[in-house]
Each structure stands twice: as structure tokens, then as C-alpha cells.
Amino acid sequence: MSGPADTRVMPLSDEAIAEAARLVLAGELVAVPTETVYGLAADATNADAVARIYAAKGRPRFNPLIVHVPDLEAAERIGRFDGEARKLANKYWPGPLTLVVPLVKGAAIPGIVTAGLETIALRIPAHPAMQALLKACDRPLAAPSANASGLISPTRASHVLASLKGRIPLVIDGGATQRGIESTIIAATDGRLRLLRRGPIEIDAIEVKRASAIEAPGQLASHYAPKKPLRLDATGAEDGEYLIGFGPVSGDVSLSETGDPVEAAARLFDLLHKADASPAQRIAIAPVPGDGIAAAIRDRLKRAAAPRP
Ligand code: AMP
Ligand code: MG
């Protein structure tokens, strides 16, 4: 995928926030400082925009993304908070804490954001730049770290440029970030709290009473798989199969009729859900050739098709 030819850097100002909001609402990506690291923000309700995050970062597979919201009211429209989760939210938000909670059914969050999980990672950031952008956009923003996948997280605008120059239209320069490491992640999904990632917030043993060993973040995404068997690299449907097409392979639905991998990534998880819900017994999916985000799609599909443990 080709990105914008050049990347503008604007110092944090009202004008910069207005320009960033205009871009985000048009489905573009903007790098913006938070108190942890610089985030690569996209409209979390726009699957194509979120797919661009994976393309720009060259992210090898679909880790679920953290969604940033301006306040608890906005958070509760997307996630279901039990008593424990609300206690942590009240104590640490706004701040560098991410809470993984059950996703509200019918929330306007496409499957690519959560990697098809029924939970969502939410955070209210404290940094004035991200807060201002959230208010100006008036919608939730998905934002992983603003760096090419595999590189060190960016804590300055120059770090963002070093890895994403030419791939995104705008970086808002708010100086060095305060925390410099990614948010603490706690899951509150099944009546207990689990520490998923250590971060700037030191959660003491009392708060996360029944914490198990730290679970490596990212691994949870691999739990996702359709309920039905999935056959890869299909060029046609066999009996009883629901075919997800791509490019020249047309099926019951298509990831992208024009063979655009960014569109395919944006639609992937939603179409797998649709196939699972169809009357067909099995799912088949067309080959998705290519590098970059196409490889990310294949990696995800390979895991979705793997025999379950
Ligand atoms: P980053 O790539 O630094 O933005 O980190 C996002 C982290 O949040 C990843 O390591 C994910 O594993 C984790 N995460 C996001 N959503 C979820 C979720 N629904 N369940 C568990 N972990 C999540
Ligand atoms: Mg990262």
C-alpha cells in the first residue's frame, strides 16, 4: 500500500488538533502524544481506517488494539464494567491504565479493532493532546504505538518520523512523553482481575487479589477462531461451504472485489463472523497473496484454521 508522500509535523496547538481531527474523521492516521508513548490514532468506528494502522505499522498479525475514549460515559457505551473495573477506572482514569472488559453487544466497533474477541481494551488518556483530539473527533480512537512493528516504542515525534515518515500524513509534536512505556493492562472480564501487562501503574496485590501469572499480551488474539472448520486458499466452494472470496475468486461474500488487502483486512473478522453465522457447515476462503498487510491476513487465517487445542 502506498502512504502519503510526506509527513507533516505540527507542534501541539489548537490548529494542529483541528487538522488532526479533520484527517482522522476522513479515515486517515495521525500520530499523537499520550502520557505513555506516541499513539497512532484512527477512528475506531471505521474498519478501513483501522486497517490502515496495520498497514502503516507493518504489524505482522492482528493484535487487538487499545481504544481511547475521553470519559467514563464514552467508555461505558463500548465496554461493560463490573464493580471492580469501575473502581479501577475511577481511581486511575484519566491515566496510563488500560482495562479489558466485555464488549457491549451492538457497539459500533468493527471486528478488526478487537481481533474478533468479545472483549475490548479501553483507556482514558490524561495527555492534553490526545484528550483534545478525542473531544474534537467525538468518537473513540484506536491507537497502538506509533512505530513500525518490531521497533522500539516512540516517545518523541522524531522517533515516530524515524519509522513512519512517508506512511502517515501528520505527527503532532507534544515533546517527549511523560511515561515512556505502554499502559498497564488489567482484564476485568469474568468477575476477577488479571494483570495482562505491567506498566506505569503499580497495581498492588490487594487490588489485583486473584491475579494469576502475567499473561503475555497479544497471545490472547490467537484464541480467536471461527466455530466452523476453515479451509484456506480455496478457488471455489465445495459442497456445504460458505466461500469468502478475494479479488478474482468471488464467493458468497468478498474480502475485496478489487483485491485490495487494506479493504480485505478491514472486512476479515466481520466476514468470518458472518460465515460462522451462516447455515453452511464449513467455511472456505480465497488466497490472499502479497506482502505486508496481506501477509498479516494470511498469518491470522493460518491461526484461525489451525486445529484447536
Ligand atoms: P499495543 O500494541 O502496545 O497498543 O498493545 C495493545 C495490547 O493490548 C496488546 O498486547 C493486546 O494483547 C492487548 N489487548 C488489546 N485488546 C485486548 C483484549 N480484548 N484482550 C486482551 N488483551 C488485549
Ligand atoms: Mg507497540
Side-chain angles (χ1 to χ4, degrees), residues 59 64-66 100 117 119-121 144 182 185 196-197 217-218 220:
R59 204 159 165 133
L65 298 173
I66 295 170
V100 174
L117 295 171
T119 55
I120 185 153
E182 287 93 348
I185 305 182
L196 299 187
R197 178 170 81 187
L220 289 177

Side-chain angles (χ1 to χ4, degrees), residues 228 239-242 252 273-283:
K228 297 171 182 171
D239 267 1
E241 278 182 347
Y242 184 95
D252 295 277
H273 273 298
K274 200 166 173 183
D276 238 0
S278 79
Q281 305 288 298
R282 285 169 288 128
I283 307 168

Side-chain angles (χ1 to χ4, degrees), residues 93-305:
W93 279 353
L97 173 69
T98 295
L99 288 170
V100 174
V101 294
L103 180 63
V104 166
K105 282 206 172 27
I109 300 292
I112 189 170
V113 173
T114 57
L117 295 171
E118 286 176 355
T119 55
I120 185 153
L122 291 168
R123 178 158 103 84
I124 301 180
H127 195 288
M130 189 56 137
Q131 271 288 342
L133 185 60
L134 284 162
K135 294 205 171 91
C137 293
D138 194 25
R139 62 191 64 192
L141 300 178
S145 53
N147 56 285
S149 187
L151 301 184
I152 301 163
S153 287
T155 58
R156 294 178 176 279
S158 59
H159 301 165
V160 177
L161 287 176
S163 71
L164 297 180
K165 191 166 160 50
R167 294 176 153 257
I168 59 174
L170 178 64
V171 180
I172 294 182
D173 188 350
T177 63
Q178 237 189 334
R179 305 293 194 136
I181 58 167
E182 287 93 348
S183 58
T184 302
I185 305 182
I186 292 178
T189 48
D190 45 15
R192 65 199 181 108
L193 300 175
R194 284 172 300 134
L195 182 58
L196 299 187
R197 178 170 81 187
R198 289 195 191 278
I201 288 183
E202 290 293 326
I203 300 291
D204 63 44
I206 295 157
E207 281 171 311
V208 187
K209 305 194 218 17
R210 281 146 292 180
S212 50
I214 293 181
E215 295 166 37
Q219 285 186 353
L220 289 177
S222 71
H223 291 196
Y224 175 78
K227 296 186 203 85
K228 297 171 182 171
L230 175 64
R231 184 167 69 88
L232 305 182
D233 298 325
T235 50
E238 291 174 7
D239 267 1
E241 278 182 347
Y242 184 95
L243 178 61
I244 301 174
F246 178 72
V249 179
S250 54
D252 295 277
V253 289
S254 178
L255 289 170
S256 167
E257 286 178 359
T258 59
D260 175 3
V262 173
E263 188 186 6
R267 288 166 61 81
L268 178 65
F269 289 115
D270 289 335
L271 291 187
L272 283 172
H273 273 298
K274 200 166 173 183
D276 238 0
S278 79
Q281 305 288 298
R282 285 169 288 128
I283 307 168
I285 190 158
V288 181
D291 298 326
I293 197 162
I297 291 170
R298 286 198 305 281
D299 178 87
R300 190 68 197 79
L301 285 173
K302 208 165 71 192
R303 280 136 38 79

